[in-house]
């Protein structure tokens, strides 16, 4: 919603609140728009440091705040969000020492994404945690499982078991009692098998084909 009008942002935020969300997080939203939401008592979380939504302006993914000037700009951005009435901020790819100094000075809850241990909380993409990210794993990420490989292994094994006949086994199958089955077979006595039907529909002679 960051490129939408104030009215649309408020409407969307209110729909999300009605659906039960506790807080509206928005990357790239300018402080004036957060202020508009905060005036209507919408709890908001902003975003500072490296903003993937504004990727072009950073020249690609990178740490933000490695110079004194840029670090001060991150501080100023946080203070602007605080003044706008946000209650939290995601701080992305800011040097840990800079993030720590800013966290000490703001009332906002600071969620660190690659901004070191001394913020109020940590934020990591679950695709990185669980190993389902098919792209690059950023430096700040940590991976505890390899669910993608697990999923592919499971699908491969299923394929192999179907091909080898290992699946399905008797315990995967549903039974019918012998008497009912015999009656069913009787009812099919005059029905041709698949093979009969294929042979029946095969051309009887080449004359059935068009020759030009
Ligand atoms: N899977 C996933 N994980 C993320 O953390 C993530 C996404 N996707 N998609 C949206 C953004 C993009 N993010 C990124 C992506 C790359 C870097 C990156 O290249 N970081 C540098 C560190 C730069 C430095 O040390 O100065 C790196 O080397 O990984 C950072 C954040 C974070 N977000
Ligand atoms: C979804 C994006 C904007 C994000 O939260 C991040 O990169 O931290």
């Amino acid at each position: 919603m960051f490129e939408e009008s104030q009215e649309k942002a408020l409407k969307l935020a209110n729909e999300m609140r009605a659906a039960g969300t506790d807080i509206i997080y928005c990357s790239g939203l300018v402080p004036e728009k957060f202020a508009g939401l905060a005036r209507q008592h919408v709890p908001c979380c902003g975003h500072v440091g490296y903003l993937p939504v504004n990727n072009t302006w950073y020249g690609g993914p990178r740490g933000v705040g490695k110079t004194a000037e840029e670090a001060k700009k991150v501080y100023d951005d946080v203070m602007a969000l605080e003044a706008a009435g946000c209650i939290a901020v995601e701080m992305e790819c800011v040097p840990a020492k800079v993030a720590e100094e800013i966290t000490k000075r703001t009332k906002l809850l600071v969620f660190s994404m690659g901004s070191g241990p001394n913020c109020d909380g940590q934020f990591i993409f679950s695709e990185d945690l669980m190993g389902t990210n098919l792209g690059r794993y950023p430096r700040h990420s940590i991976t505890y499982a390899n669910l993608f490989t697990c999923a592919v292994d499971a699908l491969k094994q299923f394929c192999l078991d179907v091909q080898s006949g290992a699946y399905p086994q008797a315990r995967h199958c549903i039974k019918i009692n012998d008497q009912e089955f015999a009656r069913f077979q009787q009812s099919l006595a005059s029905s041709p098998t698949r093979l009969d039907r294929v042979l029946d529909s095969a051309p009887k002679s080449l004359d059935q084909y068009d020759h030009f």
Side-chain angles (χ1 to χ4, degrees):
M1 67 173 161
F2 76 98
E3 64 273 89
E4 297 284 9
S5 67
Q6 179 67 61
E7 291 68 30
K8 276 196 178 169
L10 188 57
K11 183 169 180 293
L12 185 57
N14 282 330
E15 281 169 19
M16 290 168 77
R17 290 184 84 195
T21 189
D22 294 323
I23 184 167
I24 305 292
Y25 161 78
C26 189
S27 186
L29 200 65
V30 294
E32 302 88 86
K33 265 190 220 168
F34 275 123
L37 297 181
R39 261 198 304 281
Q40 304 286 319
H41 307 107
V42 179
C44 290
C45 177
H47 194 178
V48 297
Y50 169 60
L51 271 58
V53 284
N54 296 339
N55 185 46
T56 309
W57 303 96
Y58 299 89
R62 65 172 175 86
V64 173
K66 289 188 186 178
T67 63
E69 292 75 21
E70 204 176 52
K72 178 62 165 48
K73 167 85 166 53
V74 176
Y75 169 83
D76 291 342
D77 288 347
V78 169
M79 290 302 149
L81 291 172
E82 189 183 300
C86 287
I87 66 166
V89 66
E90 177 196 352
M91 191 170 287
E92 180 156 349
C93 295
V94 172
K97 288 163 97 174
V98 173
E100 179 177 3
E101 290 305 315
I102 298 175
T103 301
K104 276 193 221 160
R105 287 170 172 78
T106 176
K107 292 190 287 179
L108 300 183
L109 282 169
V110 180
F111 294 108
S112 163
M113 163 163 277
S115 299
N118 294 317
C119 300
D120 299 301
Q122 296 292 325
F123 167 33
I124 285 282
F125 272 49
S126 60
E127 63 179 6
D128 297 336
L129 292 183
M130 300 189 298
T132 56
N133 176 5
L134 298 183
R136 191 174 154 270
Y137 284 72
R139 173 207 291 275
H140 60 256
S141 64
I142 179 163
T143 303
Y144 295 99
N146 203 333
L147 294 196
F148 183 80
T149 309
C150 279
V152 171
D153 286 350
L155 293 169
K156 265 192 205 156
Q157 191 58 48
F158 177 62
C159 241
L160 289 173
D161 283 358
V162 169
Q163 282 162 356
S164 73
Y167 176 88
Q169 295 172 16
R171 68 191 158 93
H172 300 117
C173 298
I174 296 160
K175 295 196 173 63
I176 179 172
N177 75 36
D178 292 347
Q179 194 188 350
E180 288 305 310
F181 187 61
R183 292 207 307 120
F184 174 59
Q185 277 188 310
Q186 278 160 24
S187 76
L188 297 179
S190 59
S191 305
T193 62
R194 183 193 289 182
L195 181 60
D196 291 337
R197 296 181 64 199
V198 169
L199 293 175
D200 266 1
S201 60
K204 299 289 177 290
S205 84
L206 286 179
D207 296 345
Q208 281 179 276
Y209 290 110
D210 286 336
H211 294 282
F212 356 158

